[in-house]
Amino acid sequence: PNAASIKRGKGRKEWTVDAIQIQRGDELLSNPKAVQFMSSYWDAHGGYDSEKHNYIPVDHYLREYLSQYKCSRKIRKVYIATSDVKNTKKELSTVGSKDGKGKVKIGCTTFQFVFPPTPSKKERKLSGCAERYSRTVNSIAHFIIFSSAKTFIGDVNSDLGRL
């Protein structure tokens, strides 16, 4: 499924989605509290280097998630909002066992991770008003999904986190 398939309404099968907000790079570096947490995280994991460590790894978010849901027989559908889909997917490829159908088993819980749609080449070339419009539409989609999420893991200092 993609972000567009996360809908509730008449005639649609309802399902529960959880949400993780993964901030990276400038999104974190512009927030002093996030930088403090990030440097503490990396200090505890071998040392902080501001050039290499401008993010919190996906496995940290998953450990936080699993601390709330020890084990689940049903598939946990998790929407991941991030500006770095490529690297987030790369990190996710190293955790758990895959079933070949888009699901990942970590411990005794099976996850299905859902990402926002990847911008088309045309959308990536947008600038000015068109770019702002596209980003605004994406932000609104994130807000709608996050506001209906059963669980939120992310930065409470961000716009989505304050929701």
Side-chain angles (χ1 to χ4, degrees), residues 25-104:
D26 292 343
E27 295 172 328
L28 282 175
L29 297 176
S30 64
N31 181 333
K33 288 181 183 179
V35 171
Q36 182 181 12
F37 177 80
M38 188 171 44
S39 63
S40 297
Y41 174 87
W42 285 109
D43 283 342
H45 292 86
Y48 176 63
D49 178 343
S50 62
E51 295 295 315
K52 292 192 292 187
H53 300 133
N54 64 350
Y55 68 100
I56 302 293
V58 169
D59 67 342
H60 172 75
Y61 292 90
L62 293 175
R63 278 196 305 275
E64 183 66 30
Y65 184 97
L66 290 168
S67 73
Q68 296 183 35
Y69 296 101
K70 297 289 184 211
C71 202
S72 177
R73 284 192 259 178
K74 67 178 188 171
I75 297 169
R76 305 298 306 197
K77 293 174 180 77
V78 180
Y79 178 79
I80 297 182
T82 181
S83 60
D84 189 3
V85 173
K86 180 181 172 185
N87 285 320
T88 302
K89 284 183 176 181
K90 184 177 175 183
E91 283 185 61
L92 281 171
S93 72
T94 66
V95 299
S97 59
K98 283 66 173 171
D99 73 350
K101 298 176 185 172
K103 296 175 183 71
V104 177

XYZ file of all heavy atoms in Angstrom, residues 25-104:
645
model
N 19.189 15.116 8.977
C 19.911 16.268 8.440
C 19.467 17.596 9.008
O 19.378 17.768 10.225
N 19.176 18.531 8.111
C 18.836 19.898 8.512
C 17.619 19.953 9.432
O 17.525 20.829 10.281
C 18.588 20.778 7.292
C 19.853 21.018 6.492
O 20.946 20.788 7.047
O 19.745 21.413 5.324
N 16.676 19.020 9.243
C 15.482 18.998 10.098
C 15.878 18.846 11.564
O 15.263 19.429 12.445
C 14.556 17.845 9.714
C 13.967 17.968 8.336
C 13.214 16.720 7.917
O 13.601 15.604 8.332
O 12.238 16.854 7.175
N 16.892 18.026 11.827
C 17.349 17.837 13.201
C 18.322 18.920 13.636
O 18.253 19.408 14.762
C 18.039 16.476 13.350
C 17.136 15.263 13.448
C 17.966 13.997 13.473
C 16.254 15.334 14.671
N 19.226 19.280 12.746
C 20.288 20.214 13.114
C 19.757 21.605 13.423
O 20.423 22.380 14.108
C 21.339 20.282 12.005
C 22.076 18.956 11.752
C 23.016 19.097 10.564
C 22.811 18.487 12.985
N 18.559 21.929 12.978
C 17.990 23.242 13.260
C 17.276 23.279 14.611
O 16.783 24.320 15.013
C 17.011 23.639 12.151
O 15.922 22.739 12.125
N 17.242 22.165 15.312
C 16.537 22.072 16.580
C 17.541 21.730 17.694
O 18.034 20.610 17.761
C 15.456 20.991 16.483
C 14.664 20.841 17.754
O 15.145 21.132 18.835
N 13.448 20.355 17.627
N 17.857 22.686 18.587
C 18.866 22.448 19.627
C 18.568 21.227 20.516
O 19.481 20.484 20.868
C 18.855 23.737 20.458
C 18.291 24.766 19.540
C 17.333 24.053 18.637
N 17.302 21.000 20.865
C 16.962 19.835 21.685
C 17.235 18.538 20.934
O 17.714 17.568 21.500
C 15.501 19.884 22.124
C 15.208 20.922 23.165
C 13.752 20.883 23.564
C 13.434 21.977 24.558
N 12.011 21.974 24.930
N 16.933 18.542 19.642
C 17.178 17.350 18.822
C 18.672 17.091 18.683
O 19.116 15.944 18.753
C 16.523 17.513 17.455
N 19.468 18.148 18.512
C 20.920 17.992 18.412
C 21.472 17.415 19.708
O 22.323 16.519 19.698
C 21.604 19.335 18.069
C 23.115 19.223 18.189
C 21.212 19.794 16.672
N 20.958 17.893 20.839
C 21.402 17.377 22.134
C 21.070 15.886 22.262
O 21.903 15.084 22.668
C 20.749 18.166 23.270
C 21.196 17.725 24.639
C 20.501 18.526 25.737
O 19.538 19.239 25.495
N 20.999 18.393 26.949
N 19.854 15.504 21.907
C 19.465 14.093 21.962
C 20.312 13.261 21.002
O 20.793 12.185 21.340
C 17.978 13.919 21.624
C 17.554 12.480 21.609
C 17.292 11.821 22.788
C 17.446 11.785 20.412
C 16.913 10.478 22.788
C 17.078 10.460 20.388
C 16.814 9.805 21.590
N 20.507 13.775 19.785
C 21.271 13.062 18.772
C 22.717 12.856 19.226
O 23.258 11.752 19.114
C 21.230 13.858 17.462
C 21.804 13.159 16.283
S 21.482 14.043 14.731
C 21.825 15.738 15.129
N 23.341 13.889 19.781
C 24.723 13.738 20.236
C 24.802 12.783 21.422
O 25.732 11.978 21.512
C 25.354 15.096 20.567
O 24.693 15.724 21.635
N 23.810 12.804 22.306
C 23.770 11.850 23.419
C 23.623 10.424 22.902
O 24.285 9.507 23.387
C 22.607 12.146 24.367
O 22.749 13.391 24.954
N 22.756 10.254 21.911
C 22.554 8.929 21.318
C 23.876 8.393 20.764
O 24.296 7.290 21.067
C 21.499 8.971 20.210
C 21.394 7.650 19.489
C 20.562 6.651 19.963
C 22.175 7.383 18.358
C 20.498 5.416 19.332
C 22.108 6.158 17.724
C 21.279 5.181 18.216
O 21.231 3.963 17.592
N 24.539 9.206 19.919
C 25.768 8.735 19.291
C 26.909 8.595 20.282
O 27.758 7.709 20.134
C 26.152 9.636 18.123
C 25.282 9.393 16.934
C 24.322 10.223 16.435
C 25.245 8.228 16.114
N 23.699 9.640 15.357
C 24.250 8.411 15.136
C 25.962 7.027 16.107
C 23.960 7.466 14.161
C 25.667 6.082 15.136
C 24.683 6.301 14.180
N 26.964 9.447 21.329
C 27.984 9.293 22.370
C 27.850 7.927 23.039
O 28.843 7.268 23.353
C 27.889 10.405 23.416
C 28.462 11.720 22.921
O 29.228 11.709 21.922
O 28.147 12.765 23.522
N 26.610 7.488 23.249
C 26.357 6.188 23.872
C 26.617 5.023 22.911
O 26.655 3.869 23.323
C 24.921 6.125 24.379
N 26.776 5.350 21.620
C 26.984 4.311 20.602
C 28.302 4.509 19.856
O 28.372 4.338 18.646
C 25.809 4.291 19.615
C 24.537 3.828 20.230
N 23.693 4.685 20.893
C 23.986 2.591 20.311
C 22.664 3.994 21.354
N 22.814 2.733 21.018
N 29.330 4.908 20.569
C 30.652 4.964 19.957
C 31.205 6.335 19.648
O 32.319 6.458 19.183
N 30.469 7.380 19.893
C 31.003 8.725 19.688
C 30.264 9.517 18.633
O 29.916 8.989 17.580
N 30.022 10.775 18.938
C 29.278 11.676 18.058
C 30.230 12.414 17.141
O 31.223 12.978 17.575
C 28.469 12.662 18.898
C 27.733 13.706 18.095
C 26.736 13.342 17.207
C 28.031 15.054 18.224
C 26.043 14.283 16.465
C 27.346 16.016 17.493
C 26.354 15.626 16.618
O 25.672 16.558 15.885
N 29.949 12.390 15.862
C 30.683 13.149 14.853
C 29.639 13.924 14.059
O 28.855 13.340 13.315
C 31.455 12.185 13.947
C 32.218 12.903 12.839
O 31.921 14.085 12.558
O 33.102 12.269 12.248
N 29.606 15.239 14.217
C 28.552 16.050 13.604
C 28.546 15.953 12.074
O 27.527 16.199 11.450
C 28.662 17.504 14.043
O 29.904 18.046 13.625
N 29.673 15.580 11.473
C 29.722 15.430 10.016
C 29.016 14.155 9.553
O 28.367 14.140 8.518
C 31.173 15.415 9.526
C 31.908 16.719 9.747
C 31.318 17.859 8.942
O 31.031 17.654 7.750
O 31.153 18.946 9.508
N 29.166 13.061 10.303
C 28.610 11.767 9.904
C 27.267 11.463 10.557
O 26.469 10.719 10.010
C 29.574 10.630 10.266
C 30.852 10.629 9.483
C 31.626 9.341 9.676
C 32.150 9.211 11.073
N 33.035 8.081 11.268
N 27.015 12.018 11.717
C 25.859 11.623 12.515
C 24.821 12.731 12.599
O 24.595 13.303 13.659
C 26.302 11.212 13.921
C 27.259 10.068 13.917
N 28.405 10.081 14.652
C 27.225 8.881 13.273
C 29.052 8.950 14.462
N 28.352 8.201 13.625
N 24.164 13.021 11.483
C 23.121 14.050 11.484
C 21.736 13.396 11.433
O 20.826 13.903 10.807
C 23.315 15.024 10.321
C 23.158 14.350 8.975
O 23.093 13.133 8.877
N 23.093 15.148 7.931
N 21.609 12.258 12.111
C 20.351 11.516 12.135
C 20.331 10.559 13.322
O 21.356 10.332 13.963
C 20.167 10.729 10.827
C 21.157 9.590 10.681
C 20.769 8.291 10.970
C 22.459 9.821 10.270
C 21.677 7.242 10.857
C 23.351 8.785 10.148
C 22.972 7.494 10.439
O 23.854 6.465 10.335
N 19.164 10.039 13.606
C 18.982 8.955 14.573
C 18.623 7.727 13.743
O 17.708 7.783 12.919
C 17.848 9.260 15.574
C 18.111 10.561 16.331
C 17.627 8.098 16.520
C 19.281 10.535 17.280
N 19.307 6.597 13.921
C 19.025 5.410 13.105
C 17.604 4.869 13.287
O 16.999 5.005 14.350
C 20.051 4.384 13.592
C 21.099 5.166 14.290
C 20.425 6.388 14.831
N 17.115 4.229 12.240
C 15.776 3.643 12.249
C 15.616 2.643 13.395
O 14.561 2.587 14.020
C 15.482 2.959 10.891
C 14.229 2.125 10.951
C 15.375 3.998 9.805
N 16.666 1.883 13.683
C 16.515 0.865 14.731
C 16.183 1.475 16.094
O 15.515 0.862 16.913
C 17.723 -0.063 14.810
C 18.989 0.623 15.283
O 19.078 1.858 15.243
O 19.909 -0.114 15.701
N 16.586 2.728 16.323
C 16.211 3.395 17.583
C 14.697 3.609 17.644
O 14.067 3.349 18.669
C 16.924 4.734 17.725
C 16.436 5.542 18.879
N 16.778 5.244 20.177
C 15.590 6.593 18.934
C 16.161 6.096 20.990
N 15.439 6.927 20.253
N 14.125 4.064 16.540
C 12.677 4.271 16.492
C 11.939 2.940 16.670
O 10.934 2.869 17.369
C 12.269 4.907 15.154
C 12.757 6.323 14.971
C 13.986 6.579 14.389
C 11.979 7.401 15.369
C 14.431 7.883 14.201
C 12.414 8.706 15.185
C 13.645 8.933 14.602
O 14.081 10.217 14.427
N 12.453 1.891 16.036
C 11.801 0.579 16.154
C 11.900 0.027 17.571
O 10.946 -0.575 18.073
C 12.398 -0.401 15.147
C 12.121 -0.080 13.686
C 12.849 -1.051 12.773
C 10.625 -0.085 13.408
N 13.045 0.228 18.229
C 13.162 -0.213 19.641
C 12.147 0.517 20.511
O 11.515 -0.069 21.380
C 14.582 0.008 20.156
C 15.547 -1.076 19.765
C 16.826 -1.039 20.594
N 17.498 0.250 20.568
C 18.351 0.628 19.632
N 18.637 -0.175 18.653
N 18.925 1.804 19.689
N 11.983 1.814 20.270
C 10.989 2.594 21.017
C 9.586 2.050 20.754
O 8.787 1.870 21.668
C 11.071 4.068 20.613
C 10.151 4.985 21.370
C 10.486 5.105 22.840
O 11.668 4.969 23.197
O 9.552 5.319 23.644
N 9.310 1.755 19.511
C 8.005 1.211 19.125
C 7.768 -0.132 19.807
O 6.719 -0.364 20.404
C 7.966 1.051 17.605
C 6.637 0.585 17.077
C 5.720 1.492 16.593
C 6.297 -0.755 17.076
C 4.494 1.086 16.099
C 5.073 -1.176 16.584
C 4.178 -0.260 16.102
O 2.970 -0.674 15.638
N 8.749 -1.022 19.718
C 8.594 -2.363 20.294
C 8.515 -2.332 21.824
O 7.966 -3.245 22.422
C 9.722 -3.282 19.824
C 9.633 -3.658 18.345
C 10.920 -4.322 17.886
C 8.435 -4.548 18.086
N 9.027 -1.274 22.438
C 8.909 -1.164 23.894
C 7.450 -0.931 24.307
O 7.058 -1.209 25.430
C 9.794 -0.042 24.444
O 9.253 1.228 24.126
N 6.634 -0.426 23.368
C 5.215 -0.209 23.648
C 4.369 -1.409 23.250
O 3.302 -1.621 23.803
C 4.718 1.032 22.901
C 5.384 2.298 23.373
C 4.827 3.504 22.672
O 3.655 3.563 22.357
N 5.678 4.495 22.434
N 4.816 -2.154 22.250
C 4.075 -3.312 21.745
C 5.018 -4.503 21.714
O 5.681 -4.754 20.718
C 3.542 -3.045 20.327
C 2.542 -1.929 20.279
C 2.911 -0.671 19.852
C 1.237 -2.133 20.695
C 1.991 0.361 19.822
C 0.315 -1.099 20.667
C 0.703 0.139 20.225
O -0.199 1.163 20.198
N 5.075 -5.223 22.822
C 6.020 -6.327 22.945
C 5.812 -7.392 21.876
O 6.744 -7.898 21.302
C 5.923 -6.971 24.331
C 6.294 -6.032 25.455
C 7.762 -5.767 25.459
C 8.145 -4.912 26.651
N 9.231 -4.067 26.436
N 4.591 -7.767 21.622
C 4.319 -8.836 20.676
C 2.912 -8.648 20.119
O 2.010 -8.263 20.843
C 4.420 -10.186 21.383
S 4.729 -11.532 20.267
N 2.772 -8.904 18.843
C 1.467 -8.733 18.227
C 1.255 -9.836 17.206
O 2.131 -10.113 16.393
C 1.395 -7.364 17.542
O 0.162 -7.212 16.885
N 0.089 -10.471 17.263
C -0.226 -11.501 16.269
C -0.673 -10.884 14.944
O -0.538 -11.478 13.910
C -1.302 -12.441 16.793
C -0.740 -13.423 17.804
C -1.741 -14.482 18.059
N -2.391 -14.152 19.319
C -3.360 -14.845 19.841
N -3.839 -15.885 19.218
N -3.874 -14.489 20.984
N -1.234 -9.680 15.031
C -1.669 -9.040 13.791
C -0.523 -8.209 13.214
O 0.402 -7.801 13.908
C -2.900 -8.179 14.021
C -2.688 -6.955 14.874
C -3.979 -6.169 14.988
C -3.718 -4.843 15.687
N -4.865 -3.977 15.629
N -0.600 -7.976 11.926
C 0.415 -7.187 11.235
C 0.265 -5.731 11.657
O -0.820 -5.162 11.605
C 0.275 -7.333 9.712
C 0.525 -8.780 9.305
C 1.214 -6.380 8.986
C 0.172 -9.088 7.880
N 1.374 -5.137 12.096
C 1.376 -3.729 12.478
C 1.717 -2.908 11.246
O 2.806 -3.005 10.701
C 2.409 -3.452 13.582
C 2.287 -4.287 14.846
C 1.018 -4.104 15.578
N 0.755 -2.715 15.876
C -0.112 -2.316 16.768
N -0.801 -3.191 17.469
N -0.332 -1.032 16.978
N 0.764 -2.126 10.774
C 0.990 -1.250 9.626
C 1.537 0.078 10.142
O 0.918 0.719 10.981
C -0.300 -1.052 8.848
C -0.761 -2.342 8.181
C -2.110 -2.167 7.526
C -2.557 -3.447 6.873
N -3.059 -4.434 7.814
N 2.707 0.454 9.644
C 3.392 1.633 10.155
C 3.705 2.584 9.006
O 4.438 2.236 8.082
C 4.697 1.244 10.880
C 5.401 2.484 11.414
C 4.428 0.255 12.010
N 3.115 3.774 9.084
C 3.388 4.837 8.115
C 4.646 5.568 8.574
O 4.743 5.980 9.727
C 2.209 5.804 8.048
C 2.436 6.960 7.110
C 2.288 6.791 5.740
C 2.807 8.208 7.585
C 2.494 7.852 4.866
C 3.015 9.266 6.720
C 2.866 9.076 5.360
O 3.068 10.122 4.507
N 5.604 5.708 7.673
C 6.845 6.392 8.022
C 6.944 7.685 7.223
O 7.011 7.667 5.989
C 8.074 5.505 7.754
C 8.002 4.265 8.653
C 9.360 6.284 8.004
C 9.172 3.337 8.528
N 6.942 8.804 7.931
C 7.120 10.113 7.318
C 8.580 10.512 7.492
O 9.090 10.559 8.612
C 6.212 11.143 7.984
N 9.245 10.726 6.385
C 10.643 11.140 6.426
C 10.978 11.881 5.146
O 10.372 11.637 4.102
C 11.592 9.925 6.598
O 12.941 10.392 6.655
C 11.432 8.917 5.483
N 11.949 12.758 5.230
C 12.410 13.450 4.028
C 13.515 12.643 3.340
O 13.978 13.006 2.270
C 12.939 14.837 4.394
O 14.019 14.700 5.300
N 13.908 11.531 3.959
C 15.002 10.712 3.432
C 14.521 9.267 3.260
O 14.978 8.358 3.939
C 16.198 10.789 4.375
C 17.448 10.157 3.800
O 17.424 9.708 2.641
O 18.453 10.106 4.528
N 13.574 9.079 2.355
C 12.975 7.759 2.142
C 14.030 6.743 1.722
O 14.052 5.617 2.222
C 11.839 7.843 1.092
C 11.331 6.460 0.730
C 10.701 8.711 1.621
N 14.918 7.132 0.819
C 15.925 6.201 0.287
C 16.775 5.589 1.403
O 16.907 4.371 1.502
C 16.806 6.925 -0.731
C 17.881 6.066 -1.346
C 18.724 6.869 -2.318
C 19.913 6.070 -2.796
N 20.791 6.878 -3.644
N 17.358 6.423 2.260
C 18.222 5.905 3.331
C 17.425 5.202 4.419
O 17.906 4.251 5.029
C 19.100 7.013 3.913
C 20.233 7.367 2.978
O 20.836 6.497 2.356
N 20.507 8.644 2.839
N 16.199 5.656 4.659
C 15.362 4.988 5.649
C 15.036 3.575 5.179
O 15.125 2.611 5.955
C 14.083 5.796 5.915
O 14.455 7.101 6.370
C 13.210 5.131 6.963
N 14.672 3.426 3.914
C 14.407 2.092 3.371
C 15.659 1.221 3.416
O 15.588 0.026 3.707
C 13.881 2.193 1.933
C 12.440 2.623 1.850
C 11.961 2.639 0.410
C 10.492 2.983 0.313
N 10.011 2.973 -1.083
N 16.804 1.825 3.131
C 18.074 1.085 3.170
C 18.332 0.562 4.587
O 18.707 -0.594 4.773
C 19.213 1.999 2.713
C 20.553 1.330 2.616
C 21.595 2.299 2.084
C 22.965 1.684 2.102
N 23.987 2.633 1.652
N 18.119 1.403 5.596
C 18.297 0.963 6.979
C 17.294 -0.132 7.343
O 17.642 -1.102 8.012
C 18.138 2.140 7.948
C 19.337 3.045 7.998
C 19.156 4.106 9.057
O 19.010 3.755 10.242
O 19.145 5.294 8.693
N 16.048 0.027 6.908
C 15.026 -0.981 7.208
C 15.362 -2.329 6.572
O 14.967 -3.373 7.095
C 13.650 -0.523 6.736
C 12.939 0.470 7.638
C 11.686 1.009 6.950
C 12.578 -0.161 8.971
N 16.091 -2.307 5.465
C 16.437 -3.562 4.790
C 17.392 -4.407 5.616
O 17.564 -5.596 5.340
C 17.039 -3.277 3.410
O 18.342 -2.748 3.536
N 17.996 -3.809 6.651
C 18.964 -4.551 7.469
C 18.354 -5.103 8.763
O 19.059 -5.748 9.526
C 20.165 -3.659 7.836
O 19.717 -2.601 8.694
C 20.825 -3.072 6.601
N 17.081 -4.836 9.009
C 16.472 -5.307 10.263
C 15.451 -6.405 9.992
O 14.780 -6.409 8.963
C 15.786 -4.164 11.053
C 16.792 -3.098 11.438
C 14.647 -3.542 10.272
N 15.352 -7.326 10.925
C 14.317 -8.353 10.864
C 14.462 -9.304 9.697
O 15.448 -9.304 8.962
N 13.449 -10.150 9.549
C 13.420 -11.097 8.435
C 12.275 -10.721 7.507
O 11.201 -10.347 7.947
C 13.252 -12.520 8.958
O 12.058 -12.646 9.703
N 12.523 -10.830 6.207
C 11.544 -10.430 5.204
C 10.759 -11.648 4.727
O 11.283 -12.747 4.693
C 12.237 -9.792 3.995
C 12.705 -8.361 4.215
C 13.762 -8.299 5.217
C 14.401 -6.939 5.381
N 15.278 -6.891 6.513
N 9.522 -11.436 4.345
C 8.699 -12.540 3.832
C 8.549 -12.496 2.319
O 7.865 -13.318 1.733
C 7.329 -12.553 4.499
C 6.420 -11.431 4.026
O 6.896 -10.517 3.313
O 5.232 -11.459 4.369
N 9.168 -11.515 1.670
C 9.067 -11.397 0.220
C 7.799 -10.719 -0.250
O 7.590 -10.521 -1.435
N 6.916 -10.373 0.666
C 5.645 -9.730 0.307
C 5.527 -8.342 0.937
O 4.437 -7.849 1.163
C 4.480 -10.600 0.768
C 4.460 -11.961 0.105
C 3.342 -12.819 0.659
C 3.418 -14.217 0.073
N 2.478 -15.130 0.701
N 6.660 -7.750 1.273
C 6.653 -6.405 1.827
C 6.485 -6.334 3.332
O 6.307 -5.261 3.883
N 6.560 -7.469 3.995
C 6.414 -7.488 5.451
C 7.749 -7.846 6.092
O 8.550 -8.568 5.510
C 5.330 -8.466 5.865
C 3.961 -8.035 5.348
C 2.904 -9.064 5.648
C 1.582 -8.669 5.071
N 1.541 -8.760 3.608
N 7.979 -7.311 7.286
C 9.224 -7.538 8.011
C 8.872 -8.046 9.401
O 8.059 -7.428 10.101
C 10.043 -6.227 8.135
C 11.302 -6.452 8.940
C 10.358 -5.647 6.778
